[in-house]
Amino acid sequence: MQEATRAASASPAWVDRGISVLNGMVGDHLHRRGNALAIEMACYHVGRPLSLTKSELRRTQPAATGKICVLVHGLGCNEGLWSFRGNAGDATDDSYGSLLQRHLGYTPFYVRYNSGLPIAENGELLATLLAKLQAAYPKPIAEIVLIGHSMGGLLLRNACDFAHRRRMAWVRRVARAIYLGTPHDGAVLAKLTQVAAATLRIVPNPITQLIGDVIDVRSRGIKDLGFEVPSSRDDARPTSATARNAIPWLATAQHHMIAGSLTRNTRHPASVLFGDALVSLPTGRQRAAQAGRGARPAGENIKVFAGIRHLALANDPAVYAQIERWCREAATGHLT
Amino acid sequence: MSKLTLSQWRGVKDLVQDAVDAGVQATATAHLRIAQKPFAILSRIDAIAAPVRAVDGIHALITRSVYGSIRLINRVAGASATEVLDRLARKADAQASGREIPPKRQRRCGGDN
């Protein structure tokens, strides 16, 4: 993940980034065709998938503690997203995970996955991956902090719901989930694209229908972003977001939301309309509501960082400072 | 070749082949839909309906044949690329096996001069 410490046998970072972008765009097709470019979900360490065995985890995480943090990137990205950018724009060795390890003793795990697959499917894969991680971890895990950027946050919600329904042990250890720029109500751009594609297909003209078909080539992951958090319990995609069962918030965890905006003034029309460029700002009502455990983030569990755009939410020092403040809070009421 | 593994190159090849195939199919569909319009209008004229339908049929046959040929060429090109990648894989395997020289042969080579 960090450029300076990538394994010698790992692909160059630009190759991995390109493959991640490709997976975001057509990853469901790649998976369906058994294409070697399809990413298999795994925890990654210095650019290579981590084998979830006790010996490998001991080797790669010699300072493992009973607290772990799991970081999940968003659409078309990989774990390289979490690297802080130095002054020259180069990746540095720091990230939210490494800083949480240094300051609060959390052992970080970075997930890479095929972001073109349906979000619900990825959520189930993530739940299974975390179960394997817990089984192989060299120490009993006392606390888990989940951090998801953009689509990654939706994966976390799906994973927690799936794990809760399957009574997986790891989900009881989740103390808090932090969502960075996550479109819990569906992303505006994805919704507009859906409308555009549907409209073009309705128009009785072969050219516009062709353009509509081309737009529709986008992956299931991208299409899912247009809806509220999709549930694997839905057999067919609903016709509107309101018709879909929303994933319940994990009742035993504290949920936090961080949002960004295009401009330093969050009341500027650009920020009001486009939020951080891809995800809208939380509403005034959400920000004013009473914060509560096991519920949608509200009140003090929502922080807006004006002037920080969507991708920058994953590697900003000010955002990290807030994450660290939340993680320092005593996990009162957390079931053990 | 070192930037991507051989399996990733195969993935790129497969994706390009799929993209070309899907693109040709979509273009063929649009082409036939567009061509249908004038034929549909002309075939309403009783005096020329029969020859129009015949020409329509011939046009559709030729169009499908041309696009079908392009898709066939695409498949052949894909198969050729697969053969090249397979040969590269065999060569890489042979080289990797060649590096594992038994200890006696290694000492003989090292002691020749």
Side-chain angles (χ1 to χ4, degrees), chain A residues 12 14-15 19 22 29-30 33 35-37 204 206-207 209-210, chain B residues 2-4 7-8 11-12 14-15 18 26-27 30 33-34 37:
Chain A
W14 66 268
V15 169
I19 292 175
L22 197 60
H29 170 83
L30 295 176
R33 300 278 283 164
N35 192 302
L37 295 174
I207 300 296
Q209 284 170 353
L210 177 62
Chain B
S2 62
K3 298 281 190 282
L4 286 173
S7 64
Q8 286 173 331
V12 170
D14 288 342
L15 186 61
D18 289 347
T27 306
R33 277 189 196 153
I34 292 170
K37 290 184 184 300

Side-chain angles (χ1 to χ4, degrees), chain A residues 160-217:
Chain A
C160 290
D161 182 58
F162 182 80
H164 177 71
R165 286 187 282 117
R166 296 286 193 281
R167 301 180 195 278
M168 291 181 171
W170 68 264
V171 77
R172 293 196 294 275
R173 302 295 169 207
V174 175
R176 62 191 73 250
I178 302 172
Y179 310 97
L180 312 176
T182 297
H184 297 287
D185 299 316
V188 171
L189 191 59
K191 289 178 184 174
L192 286 174
T193 309
Q194 276 160 359
V195 169
T199 304
L200 286 168
R201 278 200 304 277
I202 287 171
V203 174
N205 180 292
I207 300 296
T208 52
Q209 284 170 353
L210 177 62
I211 297 171
D213 288 342
V214 168
I215 293 174
D216 232 22
V217 165

Side-chain angles (χ1 to χ4, degrees), chain A residues 82-94:
Chain A
W82 301 107
S83 291
F84 278 25
R85 297 284 132 183
N87 288 336
D90 297 328
T92 71
D93 285 346
D94 280 337

Side-chain angles (χ1 to χ4, degrees), chain A residues 34 300 304:
Chain A
E300 66 208 22
V304 176

